[in-house]
Amino acid sequence: MLRLTKKADYGLMALKYLAEQTGGSAHSAKDIAEAYHIPPQLLAKILQTLAKGGLLVSHAGTNGGYALAKPANEITAFEVIRTIDGPLFITSCITIHGACDLTSTCTIKEPLRKVNDSIKDLLSGIYIADLVEPGDAERSKHAVGGGLVSIAL
Amino acid sequence: MLRLTKKADYGLMALKYLAEQTGGSAHSAKDIAEAYHIPPQLLAKILQTLAKGGLLVSHAGTNGGYALAKPANEITAFEVIRTIDGPLFITSCITIHGACDLTSTCTIKEPLRKVNDSIKDLLSGIYIADLVEPGDAERSKHAVGGGLVSIAL
DNA sequence: CATTCTCCGACTCATACGGTCTTCTACAGT
DNA sequence: ACTGTAGAAGACCGTATGAGTCGGAGAATG
Ligand code: SF4
Ligand code: SF4
């Protein structure tokens, strides 16, 4: 349940890698793939998707590669996941309204929507910058509601 | 992303239905299926799983059916989902340690585990009883941390 | 005892994720 | 301008697993 795809997983790793390399210059997909031992071609595809989504900037040719399009502390995990896996959410009815033919009779639609929003807020409070340093507090100032996500049905 | 299976979805609906019927007597899978227009056989299977997981008690034979094994305010959404969809979580590495062969090189494992726990706590704070009445506060006393889930990497 | 009702486990089908391959385009340095 | 490198883009396949279906076992009633 609630499994997030491996593509998104790899995507986050790549983002983190790029965030660590403050050198500024671009890093090739191959480099990142080798650093973490993930299938190079697959990661290339993921990076393409991220570039198309505006989270990365690509630079072709010799010494080319990818670089972050925005500072690491302005990219949320939610953006990354949504860009890679698409905007689909925990229930079929939330994004595509006609997906579930029970929308009329269903009674748990609204509560689940709340849960959905809570998770979304949770992910939106996590930034790439939070991943690079395993340090604790301080950065959480970004987090929604001061790092607390309320769940009230 | 983060899609929760339709089975779990249906399962929650069925649980809610049973919670509403305070009559105490058992209700057949067919009845519930007809009430919500979901495939009867599929729902039967879901209820079987829930019964096996100890959330429901089944009663075969004429006038048989299913009933809640515990009071509605003691069954969490998390239990339901875990029972139906299995204990799998957002990343492959959390439950089955050998699932991802990058566990050694992966650097985002720990942060994601935190996220995972947060979602788990979030779901654990939701009870079946919370679904039947669309009312607001008061029941949230059950919720973990007073309805607030903290996310701190 | 027989019939009817319901649960139960095993089974099939479809989707889509994970991963790979091939081709084309763009840039850097010579 | 030429060449080698690296990215972009699309098609392609195998498999995992989700969604849905089927026939049989078992229990209660009469
Ligand atoms: S059953 Fe209800 S909550 Fe689930 S997808 Fe359909 S309308 Fe949404
Ligand atoms: S080890 Fe890292 S890459 Fe592998 S499943 Fe866990 S978080 Fe994802």
PDB file of all heavy atoms in Angstrom, chain C residues 1 4-5 22 24 28-29, chain D residues 2-3 7 9 18 26-27 30:
ATOM      1  P    DC C   1     -29.048 -38.987   7.074  1.00  0.00           P
ATOM      2  OP1  DC C   1     -28.274 -39.774   6.188  1.00  0.00           O
ATOM      3  OP2  DC C   1     -28.660 -38.230   8.240  1.00  0.00           O
ATOM      4  O5'  DC C   1     -30.052 -38.064   6.239  1.00  0.00           O
ATOM      5  C5'  DC C   1     -31.339 -38.597   5.907  1.00  0.00           C
ATOM      6  C4'  DC C   1     -32.086 -37.560   5.095  1.00  0.00           C
ATOM      7  O4'  DC C   1     -32.439 -36.451   5.961  1.00  0.00           O
ATOM      8  C3'  DC C   1     -31.256 -36.964   3.958  1.00  0.00           C
ATOM      9  O3'  DC C   1     -32.113 -36.774   2.839  1.00  0.00           O
ATOM     10  C2'  DC C   1     -30.792 -35.611   4.510  1.00  0.00           C
ATOM     11  C1'  DC C   1     -31.963 -35.233   5.409  1.00  0.00           C
ATOM     12  N1   DC C   1     -31.583 -34.358   6.565  1.00  0.00           N
ATOM     13  C2   DC C   1     -32.228 -33.133   6.750  1.00  0.00           C
ATOM     14  O2   DC C   1     -33.112 -32.788   5.952  1.00  0.00           O
ATOM     15  N3   DC C   1     -31.900 -32.348   7.798  1.00  0.00           N
ATOM     16  C4   DC C   1     -30.964 -32.762   8.655  1.00  0.00           C
ATOM     17  N4   DC C   1     -30.661 -31.963   9.692  1.00  0.00           N
ATOM     18  C5   DC C   1     -30.297 -34.007   8.497  1.00  0.00           C
ATOM     19  C6   DC C   1     -30.626 -34.757   7.454  1.00  0.00           C
ATOM     20  P    DT C   4     -33.603 -24.951  -2.953  1.00  0.00           P
ATOM     21  OP1  DT C   4     -34.916 -24.767  -3.614  1.00  0.00           O
ATOM     22  OP2  DT C   4     -32.438 -25.429  -3.716  1.00  0.00           O
ATOM     23  O5'  DT C   4     -33.213 -23.589  -2.231  1.00  0.00           O
ATOM     24  C5'  DT C   4     -33.791 -23.273  -0.962  1.00  0.00           C
ATOM     25  C4'  DT C   4     -32.804 -22.516  -0.107  1.00  0.00           C
ATOM     26  O4'  DT C   4     -31.835 -23.427   0.481  1.00  0.00           O
ATOM     27  C3'  DT C   4     -31.977 -21.478  -0.884  1.00  0.00           C
ATOM     28  O3'  DT C   4     -32.039 -20.236  -0.220  1.00  0.00           O
ATOM     29  C2'  DT C   4     -30.565 -22.045  -0.868  1.00  0.00           C
ATOM     30  C1'  DT C   4     -30.572 -22.805   0.452  1.00  0.00           C
ATOM     31  N1   DT C   4     -29.520 -23.847   0.557  1.00  0.00           N
ATOM     32  C2   DT C   4     -28.769 -23.917   1.710  1.00  0.00           C
ATOM     33  O2   DT C   4     -28.922 -23.166   2.654  1.00  0.00           O
ATOM     34  N3   DT C   4     -27.822 -24.925   1.708  1.00  0.00           N
ATOM     35  C4   DT C   4     -27.576 -25.833   0.697  1.00  0.00           C
ATOM     36  O4   DT C   4     -26.700 -26.683   0.817  1.00  0.00           O
ATOM     37  C5   DT C   4     -28.395 -25.696  -0.476  1.00  0.00           C
ATOM     38  C7   DT C   4     -28.199 -26.627  -1.632  1.00  0.00           C
ATOM     39  C6   DT C   4     -29.319 -24.716  -0.495  1.00  0.00           C
ATOM     40  P    DC C   5     -31.782 -18.873  -1.009  1.00  0.00           P
ATOM     41  OP1  DC C   5     -33.047 -18.118  -1.060  1.00  0.00           O
ATOM     42  OP2  DC C   5     -31.061 -19.199  -2.262  1.00  0.00           O
ATOM     43  O5'  DC C   5     -30.772 -18.097  -0.049  1.00  0.00           O
ATOM     44  C5'  DC C   5     -30.946 -18.172   1.366  1.00  0.00           C
ATOM     45  C4'  DC C   5     -29.597 -18.275   2.035  1.00  0.00           C
ATOM     46  O4'  DC C   5     -29.029 -19.573   1.784  1.00  0.00           O
ATOM     47  C3'  DC C   5     -28.565 -17.262   1.510  1.00  0.00           C
ATOM     48  O3'  DC C   5     -28.312 -16.265   2.483  1.00  0.00           O
ATOM     49  C2'  DC C   5     -27.303 -18.085   1.255  1.00  0.00           C
ATOM     50  C1'  DC C   5     -27.621 -19.440   1.855  1.00  0.00           C
ATOM     51  N1   DC C   5     -27.012 -20.578   1.090  1.00  0.00           N
ATOM     52  C2   DC C   5     -26.022 -21.346   1.689  1.00  0.00           C
ATOM     53  O2   DC C   5     -25.652 -21.082   2.844  1.00  0.00           O
ATOM     54  N3   DC C   5     -25.475 -22.380   0.993  1.00  0.00           N
ATOM     55  C4   DC C   5     -25.877 -22.639  -0.239  1.00  0.00           C
ATOM     56  N4   DC C   5     -25.309 -23.666  -0.877  1.00  0.00           N
ATOM     57  C5   DC C   5     -26.898 -21.858  -0.867  1.00  0.00           C
ATOM     58  C6   DC C   5     -27.425 -20.846  -0.172  1.00  0.00           C
ATOM     59  P    DT C  22      20.344  -2.312 -29.378  1.00  0.00           P
ATOM     60  OP1  DT C  22      20.606  -3.495 -30.219  1.00  0.00           O
ATOM     61  OP2  DT C  22      21.454  -1.692 -28.616  1.00  0.00           O
ATOM     62  O5'  DT C  22      19.656  -1.160 -30.245  1.00  0.00           O
ATOM     63  C5'  DT C  22      18.263  -1.253 -30.552  1.00  0.00           C
ATOM     64  C4'  DT C  22      17.819  -0.031 -31.342  1.00  0.00           C
ATOM     65  O4'  DT C  22      17.322   0.987 -30.430  1.00  0.00           O
ATOM     66  C3'  DT C  22      18.918   0.639 -32.167  1.00  0.00           C
ATOM     67  O3'  DT C  22      18.413   0.992 -33.444  1.00  0.00           O
ATOM     68  C2'  DT C  22      19.279   1.875 -31.358  1.00  0.00           C
ATOM     69  C1'  DT C  22      17.960   2.217 -30.671  1.00  0.00           C
ATOM     70  N1   DT C  22      18.112   2.908 -29.372  1.00  0.00           N
ATOM     71  C2   DT C  22      17.344   4.024 -29.104  1.00  0.00           C
ATOM     72  O2   DT C  22      16.536   4.465 -29.888  1.00  0.00           O
ATOM     73  N3   DT C  22      17.555   4.586 -27.865  1.00  0.00           N
ATOM     74  C4   DT C  22      18.444   4.155 -26.906  1.00  0.00           C
ATOM     75  O4   DT C  22      18.546   4.746 -25.832  1.00  0.00           O
ATOM     76  C5   DT C  22      19.219   2.991 -27.248  1.00  0.00           C
ATOM     77  C7   DT C  22      20.218   2.446 -26.283  1.00  0.00           C
ATOM     78  C6   DT C  22      19.019   2.428 -28.449  1.00  0.00           C
ATOM     79  P    DC C  24      18.178   7.696 -37.004  1.00  0.00           P
ATOM     80  OP1  DC C  24      17.359   7.704 -38.231  1.00  0.00           O
ATOM     81  OP2  DC C  24      19.610   7.358 -37.059  1.00  0.00           O
ATOM     82  O5'  DC C  24      18.027   9.114 -36.291  1.00  0.00           O
ATOM     83  C5'  DC C  24      16.746   9.539 -35.832  1.00  0.00           C
ATOM     84  C4'  DC C  24      16.885  10.745 -34.913  1.00  0.00           C
ATOM     85  O4'  DC C  24      17.535  10.339 -33.680  1.00  0.00           O
ATOM     86  C3'  DC C  24      17.731  11.887 -35.498  1.00  0.00           C
ATOM     87  O3'  DC C  24      17.006  13.101 -35.432  1.00  0.00           O
ATOM     88  C2'  DC C  24      18.980  11.905 -34.621  1.00  0.00           C
ATOM     89  C1'  DC C  24      18.482  11.318 -33.317  1.00  0.00           C
ATOM     90  N1   DC C  24      19.553  10.649 -32.512  1.00  0.00           N
ATOM     91  C2   DC C  24      19.855  11.112 -31.227  1.00  0.00           C
ATOM     92  O2   DC C  24      19.223  12.083 -30.784  1.00  0.00           O
ATOM     93  N3   DC C  24      20.820  10.506 -30.518  1.00  0.00           N
ATOM     94  C4   DC C  24      21.485   9.455 -31.026  1.00  0.00           C
ATOM     95  N4   DC C  24      22.420   8.884 -30.283  1.00  0.00           N
ATOM     96  C5   DC C  24      21.190   8.954 -32.327  1.00  0.00           C
ATOM     97  C6   DC C  24      20.226   9.576 -33.035  1.00  0.00           C
ATOM     98  P    DA C  28      28.881  24.465 -25.515  1.00  0.00           P
ATOM     99  OP1  DA C  28      28.864  24.966 -24.128  1.00  0.00           O
ATOM    100  OP2  DA C  28      28.829  25.397 -26.655  1.00  0.00           O
ATOM    101  O5'  DA C  28      30.175  23.539 -25.690  1.00  0.00           O
ATOM    102  C5'  DA C  28      30.220  22.294 -24.990  1.00  0.00           C
ATOM    103  C4'  DA C  28      31.628  21.750 -24.939  1.00  0.00           C
ATOM    104  O4'  DA C  28      31.810  20.827 -26.050  1.00  0.00           O
ATOM    105  C3'  DA C  28      32.734  22.786 -25.078  1.00  0.00           C
ATOM    106  O3'  DA C  28      33.843  22.401 -24.270  1.00  0.00           O
ATOM    107  C2'  DA C  28      33.070  22.775 -26.561  1.00  0.00           C
ATOM    108  C1'  DA C  28      32.733  21.355 -26.998  1.00  0.00           C
ATOM    109  N9   DA C  28      32.081  21.265 -28.309  1.00  0.00           N
ATOM    110  C8   DA C  28      31.116  22.095 -28.793  1.00  0.00           C
ATOM    111  N7   DA C  28      30.706  21.779 -30.000  1.00  0.00           N
ATOM    112  C5   DA C  28      31.454  20.649 -30.321  1.00  0.00           C
ATOM    113  C6   DA C  28      31.491  19.826 -31.465  1.00  0.00           C
ATOM    114  N6   DA C  28      30.720  20.020 -32.534  1.00  0.00           N
ATOM    115  N1   DA C  28      32.355  18.792 -31.474  1.00  0.00           N
ATOM    116  C2   DA C  28      33.117  18.593 -30.385  1.00  0.00           C
ATOM    117  N3   DA C  28      33.161  19.298 -29.242  1.00  0.00           N
ATOM    118  C4   DA C  28      32.304  20.323 -29.282  1.00  0.00           C
ATOM    119  P    DG C  29      35.134  23.325 -24.120  1.00  0.00           P
ATOM    120  OP1  DG C  29      35.626  23.199 -22.736  1.00  0.00           O
ATOM    121  OP2  DG C  29      34.800  24.665 -24.672  1.00  0.00           O
ATOM    122  O5'  DG C  29      36.175  22.630 -25.099  1.00  0.00           O
ATOM    123  C5'  DG C  29      36.545  21.267 -24.842  1.00  0.00           C
ATOM    124  C4'  DG C  29      37.201  20.673 -26.072  1.00  0.00           C
ATOM    125  O4'  DG C  29      36.280  20.745 -27.192  1.00  0.00           O
ATOM    126  C3'  DG C  29      38.487  21.382 -26.529  1.00  0.00           C
ATOM    127  O3'  DG C  29      39.508  20.408 -26.684  1.00  0.00           O
ATOM    128  C2'  DG C  29      38.113  22.023 -27.851  1.00  0.00           C
ATOM    129  C1'  DG C  29      37.008  21.110 -28.350  1.00  0.00           C
ATOM    130  N9   DG C  29      36.069  21.738 -29.284  1.00  0.00           N
ATOM    131  C8   DG C  29      35.328  22.879 -29.076  1.00  0.00           C
ATOM    132  N7   DG C  29      34.561  23.190 -30.083  1.00  0.00           N
ATOM    133  C5   DG C  29      34.795  22.191 -31.010  1.00  0.00           C
ATOM    134  C6   DG C  29      34.245  21.989 -32.305  1.00  0.00           C
ATOM    135  O6   DG C  29      33.412  22.683 -32.896  1.00  0.00           O
ATOM    136  N1   DG C  29      34.757  20.835 -32.913  1.00  0.00           N
ATOM    137  C2   DG C  29      35.681  20.003 -32.342  1.00  0.00           C
ATOM    138  N2   DG C  29      36.053  18.948 -33.061  1.00  0.00           N
ATOM    139  N3   DG C  29      36.212  20.168 -31.130  1.00  0.00           N
ATOM    140  C4   DG C  29      35.717  21.280 -30.529  1.00  0.00           C
TER     141       DG C  29
ATOM    142  P    DC D   2      33.167  18.930 -42.905  1.00  0.00           P
ATOM    143  OP1  DC D   2      33.732  18.355 -44.143  1.00  0.00           O
ATOM    144  OP2  DC D   2      31.701  18.987 -42.702  1.00  0.00           O
ATOM    145  O5'  DC D   2      33.826  18.186 -41.664  1.00  0.00           O
ATOM    146  C5'  DC D   2      35.258  18.290 -41.483  1.00  0.00           C
ATOM    147  C4'  DC D   2      35.695  17.460 -40.296  1.00  0.00           C
ATOM    148  O4'  DC D   2      35.628  18.265 -39.090  1.00  0.00           O
ATOM    149  C3'  DC D   2      34.857  16.206 -40.016  1.00  0.00           C
ATOM    150  O3'  DC D   2      35.722  15.153 -39.664  1.00  0.00           O
ATOM    151  C2'  DC D   2      33.951  16.640 -38.874  1.00  0.00           C
ATOM    152  C1'  DC D   2      34.840  17.613 -38.100  1.00  0.00           C
ATOM    153  N1   DC D   2      34.111  18.679 -37.363  1.00  0.00           N
ATOM    154  C2   DC D   2      34.552  19.058 -36.094  1.00  0.00           C
ATOM    155  O2   DC D   2      35.542  18.492 -35.613  1.00  0.00           O
ATOM    156  N3   DC D   2      33.893  20.027 -35.426  1.00  0.00           N
ATOM    157  C4   DC D   2      32.824  20.617 -35.979  1.00  0.00           C
ATOM    158  N4   DC D   2      32.217  21.579 -35.290  1.00  0.00           N
ATOM    159  C5   DC D   2      32.355  20.249 -37.271  1.00  0.00           C
ATOM    160  C6   DC D   2      33.023  19.284 -37.915  1.00  0.00           C
ATOM    161  P    DT D   3      35.176  13.642 -39.566  1.00  0.00           P
ATOM    162  OP1  DT D   3      36.143  12.740 -40.238  1.00  0.00           O
ATOM    163  OP2  DT D   3      33.749  13.646 -39.959  1.00  0.00           O
ATOM    164  O5'  DT D   3      35.277  13.368 -38.005  1.00  0.00           O
ATOM    165  C5'  DT D   3      36.471  13.753 -37.298  1.00  0.00           C
ATOM    166  C4'  DT D   3      36.221  13.668 -35.808  1.00  0.00           C
ATOM    167  O4'  DT D   3      35.513  14.848 -35.362  1.00  0.00           O
ATOM    168  C3'  DT D   3      35.369  12.467 -35.365  1.00  0.00           C
ATOM    169  O3'  DT D   3      35.919  11.901 -34.196  1.00  0.00           O
ATOM    170  C2'  DT D   3      34.014  13.101 -35.091  1.00  0.00           C
ATOM    171  C1'  DT D   3      34.441  14.449 -34.529  1.00  0.00           C
ATOM    172  N1   DT D   3      33.406  15.520 -34.578  1.00  0.00           N
ATOM    173  C2   DT D   3      33.312  16.387 -33.522  1.00  0.00           C
ATOM    174  O2   DT D   3      34.034  16.328 -32.561  1.00  0.00           O
ATOM    175  N3   DT D   3      32.325  17.335 -33.663  1.00  0.00           N
ATOM    176  C4   DT D   3      31.446  17.481 -34.714  1.00  0.00           C
ATOM    177  O4   DT D   3      30.621  18.367 -34.720  1.00  0.00           O
ATOM    178  C5   DT D   3      31.611  16.531 -35.784  1.00  0.00           C
ATOM    179  C7   DT D   3      30.708  16.610 -36.970  1.00  0.00           C
ATOM    180  C6   DT D   3      32.560  15.595 -35.670  1.00  0.00           C
ATOM    181  P    DG D   7      24.654  13.153 -20.044  1.00  0.00           P
ATOM    182  OP1  DG D   7      24.650  13.577 -18.647  1.00  0.00           O
ATOM    183  OP2  DG D   7      24.707  11.721 -20.394  1.00  0.00           O
ATOM    184  O5'  DG D   7      23.381  13.821 -20.763  1.00  0.00           O
ATOM    185  C5'  DG D   7      23.515  15.170 -21.159  1.00  0.00           C
ATOM    186  C4'  DG D   7      22.347  15.624 -21.994  1.00  0.00           C
ATOM    187  O4'  DG D   7      22.480  15.117 -23.344  1.00  0.00           O
ATOM    188  C3'  DG D   7      20.969  15.162 -21.513  1.00  0.00           C
ATOM    189  O3'  DG D   7      20.005  16.159 -21.810  1.00  0.00           O
ATOM    190  C2'  DG D   7      20.746  13.892 -22.323  1.00  0.00           C
ATOM    191  C1'  DG D   7      21.390  14.273 -23.654  1.00  0.00           C
ATOM    192  N9   DG D   7      21.926  13.126 -24.381  1.00  0.00           N
ATOM    193  C8   DG D   7      22.852  12.230 -23.943  1.00  0.00           C
ATOM    194  N7   DG D   7      23.130  11.311 -24.822  1.00  0.00           N
ATOM    195  C5   DG D   7      22.329  11.629 -25.908  1.00  0.00           C
ATOM    196  C6   DG D   7      22.193  10.978 -27.153  1.00  0.00           C
ATOM    197  O6   DG D   7      22.771   9.971 -27.563  1.00  0.00           O
ATOM    198  N1   DG D   7      21.267  11.626 -27.966  1.00  0.00           N
ATOM    199  C2   DG D   7      20.575  12.760 -27.612  1.00  0.00           C
ATOM    200  N2   DG D   7      19.729  13.238 -28.526  1.00  0.00           N
ATOM    201  N3   DG D   7      20.690  13.374 -26.454  1.00  0.00           N
ATOM    202  C4   DG D   7      21.580  12.749 -25.650  1.00  0.00           C
ATOM    203  P    DA D   9      13.083  15.873 -24.948  1.00  0.00           P
ATOM    204  OP1  DA D   9      12.346  17.035 -25.493  1.00  0.00           O
ATOM    205  OP2  DA D   9      12.998  15.517 -23.515  1.00  0.00           O
ATOM    206  O5'  DA D   9      12.667  14.584 -25.802  1.00  0.00           O
ATOM    207  C5'  DA D   9      13.030  14.525 -27.193  1.00  0.00           C
ATOM    208  C4'  DA D   9      12.686  13.160 -27.739  1.00  0.00           C
ATOM    209  O4'  DA D   9      13.743  12.230 -27.427  1.00  0.00           O
ATOM    210  C3'  DA D   9      11.407  12.549 -27.164  1.00  0.00           C
ATOM    211  O3'  DA D   9      10.456  12.398 -28.196  1.00  0.00           O
ATOM    212  C2'  DA D   9      11.844  11.217 -26.579  1.00  0.00           C
ATOM    213  C1'  DA D   9      13.158  10.957 -27.291  1.00  0.00           C
ATOM    214  N9   DA D   9      14.084  10.115 -26.535  1.00  0.00           N
ATOM    215  C8   DA D   9      14.448  10.240 -25.225  1.00  0.00           C
ATOM    216  N7   DA D   9      15.292   9.333 -24.817  1.00  0.00           N
ATOM    217  C5   DA D   9      15.494   8.542 -25.945  1.00  0.00           C
ATOM    218  C6   DA D   9      16.283   7.391 -26.166  1.00  0.00           C
ATOM    219  N6   DA D   9      17.045   6.837 -25.229  1.00  0.00           N
ATOM    220  N1   DA D   9      16.259   6.856 -27.411  1.00  0.00           N
ATOM    221  C2   DA D   9      15.487   7.428 -28.338  1.00  0.00           C
ATOM    222  N3   DA D   9      14.699   8.502 -28.244  1.00  0.00           N
ATOM    223  C4   DA D   9      14.753   9.017 -27.007  1.00  0.00           C
ATOM    224  P    DG D  18      -0.669  -4.871  -5.224  1.00  0.00           P
ATOM    225  OP1  DG D  18       0.403  -3.959  -4.853  1.00  0.00           O
ATOM    226  OP2  DG D  18      -1.136  -5.898  -4.289  1.00  0.00           O
ATOM    227  O5'  DG D  18      -1.947  -4.023  -5.688  1.00  0.00           O
ATOM    228  C5'  DG D  18      -1.804  -3.071  -6.718  1.00  0.00           C
ATOM    229  C4'  DG D  18      -2.910  -3.221  -7.746  1.00  0.00           C
ATOM    230  O4'  DG D  18      -2.630  -4.346  -8.603  1.00  0.00           O
ATOM    231  C3'  DG D  18      -4.294  -3.459  -7.140  1.00  0.00           C
ATOM    232  O3'  DG D  18      -5.198  -2.446  -7.553  1.00  0.00           O
ATOM    233  C2'  DG D  18      -4.731  -4.812  -7.674  1.00  0.00           C
ATOM    234  C1'  DG D  18      -3.843  -5.029  -8.883  1.00  0.00           C
ATOM    235  N9   DG D  18      -3.526  -6.441  -9.040  1.00  0.00           N
ATOM    236  C8   DG D  18      -2.815  -7.238  -8.187  1.00  0.00           C
ATOM    237  N7   DG D  18      -2.714  -8.462  -8.596  1.00  0.00           N
ATOM    238  C5   DG D  18      -3.403  -8.479  -9.784  1.00  0.00           C
ATOM    239  C6   DG D  18      -3.639  -9.539 -10.680  1.00  0.00           C
ATOM    240  O6   DG D  18      -3.283 -10.707 -10.591  1.00  0.00           O
ATOM    241  N1   DG D  18      -4.395  -9.120 -11.776  1.00  0.00           N
ATOM    242  C2   DG D  18      -4.860  -7.845 -11.981  1.00  0.00           C
ATOM    243  N2   DG D  18      -5.576  -7.638 -13.088  1.00  0.00           N
ATOM    244  N3   DG D  18      -4.644  -6.847 -11.146  1.00  0.00           N
ATOM    245  C4   DG D  18      -3.916  -7.234 -10.080  1.00  0.00           C
ATOM    246  P    DG D  26     -15.628 -28.768   4.220  1.00  0.00           P
ATOM    247  OP1  DG D  26     -14.449 -28.887   5.110  1.00  0.00           O
ATOM    248  OP2  DG D  26     -16.369 -29.965   3.767  1.00  0.00           O
ATOM    249  O5'  DG D  26     -16.666 -27.779   4.914  1.00  0.00           O
ATOM    250  C5'  DG D  26     -16.284 -26.425   5.149  1.00  0.00           C
ATOM    251  C4'  DG D  26     -17.446 -25.660   5.754  1.00  0.00           C
ATOM    252  O4'  DG D  26     -18.366 -25.256   4.701  1.00  0.00           O
ATOM    253  C3'  DG D  26     -18.284 -26.466   6.751  1.00  0.00           C
ATOM    254  O3'  DG D  26     -18.576 -25.646   7.863  1.00  0.00           O
ATOM    255  C2'  DG D  26     -19.555 -26.804   5.968  1.00  0.00           C
ATOM    256  C1'  DG D  26     -19.684 -25.590   5.060  1.00  0.00           C
ATOM    257  N9   DG D  26     -20.426 -25.834   3.824  1.00  0.00           N
ATOM    258  C8   DG D  26     -20.252 -26.870   2.939  1.00  0.00           C
ATOM    259  N7   DG D  26     -21.063 -26.812   1.901  1.00  0.00           N
ATOM    260  C5   DG D  26     -21.819 -25.667   2.136  1.00  0.00           C
ATOM    261  C6   DG D  26     -22.858 -25.093   1.360  1.00  0.00           C
ATOM    262  O6   DG D  26     -23.325 -25.478   0.288  1.00  0.00           O
ATOM    263  N1   DG D  26     -23.352 -23.938   1.961  1.00  0.00           N
ATOM    264  C2   DG D  26     -22.895 -23.408   3.136  1.00  0.00           C
ATOM    265  N2   DG D  26     -23.498 -22.305   3.544  1.00  0.00           N
ATOM    266  N3   DG D  26     -21.925 -23.936   3.871  1.00  0.00           N
ATOM    267  C4   DG D  26     -21.437 -25.061   3.309  1.00  0.00           C
ATOM    268  P    DA D  27     -19.048 -26.285   9.233  1.00  0.00           P
ATOM    269  OP1  DA D  27     -17.987 -26.032  10.227  1.00  0.00           O
ATOM    270  OP2  DA D  27     -19.552 -27.671   9.022  1.00  0.00           O
ATOM    271  O5'  DA D  27     -20.298 -25.367   9.580  1.00  0.00           O
ATOM    272  C5'  DA D  27     -20.180 -23.957   9.417  1.00  0.00           C
ATOM    273  C4'  DA D  27     -21.548 -23.332   9.243  1.00  0.00           C
ATOM    274  O4'  DA D  27     -22.067 -23.661   7.921  1.00  0.00           O
ATOM    275  C3'  DA D  27     -22.588 -23.834  10.247  1.00  0.00           C
ATOM    276  O3'  DA D  27     -23.299 -22.724  10.750  1.00  0.00           O
ATOM    277  C2'  DA D  27     -23.502 -24.736   9.414  1.00  0.00           C
ATOM    278  C1'  DA D  27     -23.406 -24.079   8.039  1.00  0.00           C
ATOM    279  N9   DA D  27     -23.669 -24.974   6.920  1.00  0.00           N
ATOM    280  C8   DA D  27     -23.056 -26.159   6.642  1.00  0.00           C
ATOM    281  N7   DA D  27     -23.493 -26.743   5.544  1.00  0.00           N
ATOM    282  C5   DA D  27     -24.451 -25.873   5.073  1.00  0.00           C
ATOM    283  C6   DA D  27     -25.293 -25.917   3.938  1.00  0.00           C
ATOM    284  N6   DA D  27     -25.286 -26.906   3.046  1.00  0.00           N
ATOM    285  N1   DA D  27     -26.147 -24.884   3.754  1.00  0.00           N
ATOM    286  C2   DA D  27     -26.158 -23.894   4.652  1.00  0.00           C
ATOM    287  N3   DA D  27     -25.410 -23.746   5.747  1.00  0.00           N
ATOM    288  C4   DA D  27     -24.570 -24.778   5.897  1.00  0.00           C
ATOM    289  P    DG D  30     -36.706 -21.637   9.956  1.00  0.00           P
ATOM    290  OP1  DG D  30     -37.398 -20.422   9.495  1.00  0.00           O
ATOM    291  OP2  DG D  30     -36.574 -21.912  11.405  1.00  0.00           O
ATOM    292  O5'  DG D  30     -37.376 -22.913   9.273  1.00  0.00           O
ATOM    293  C5'  DG D  30     -37.435 -22.988   7.856  1.00  0.00           C
ATOM    294  C4'  DG D  30     -37.715 -24.419   7.416  1.00  0.00           C
ATOM    295  O4'  DG D  30     -36.528 -25.220   7.639  1.00  0.00           O
ATOM    296  C3'  DG D  30     -38.850 -25.088   8.205  1.00  0.00           C
ATOM    297  O3'  DG D  30     -39.834 -25.575   7.301  1.00  0.00           O
ATOM    298  C2'  DG D  30     -38.179 -26.276   8.915  1.00  0.00           C
ATOM    299  C1'  DG D  30     -36.943 -26.510   8.057  1.00  0.00           C
ATOM    300  N9   DG D  30     -35.830 -27.127   8.779  1.00  0.00           N
ATOM    301  C8   DG D  30     -35.289 -26.723   9.986  1.00  0.00           C
ATOM    302  N7   DG D  30     -34.296 -27.465  10.393  1.00  0.00           N
ATOM    303  C5   DG D  30     -34.162 -28.426   9.389  1.00  0.00           C
ATOM    304  C6   DG D  30     -33.254 -29.499   9.283  1.00  0.00           C
ATOM    305  O6   DG D  30     -32.361 -29.822  10.063  1.00  0.00           O
ATOM    306  N1   DG D  30     -33.462 -30.223   8.110  1.00  0.00           N
ATOM    307  C2   DG D  30     -34.422 -29.947   7.173  1.00  0.00           C
ATOM    308  N2   DG D  30     -34.465 -30.744   6.123  1.00  0.00           N
ATOM    309  N3   DG D  30     -35.293 -28.946   7.266  1.00  0.00           N
ATOM    310  C4   DG D  30     -35.100 -28.229   8.393  1.00  0.00           C
TER     311       DG D  30
END
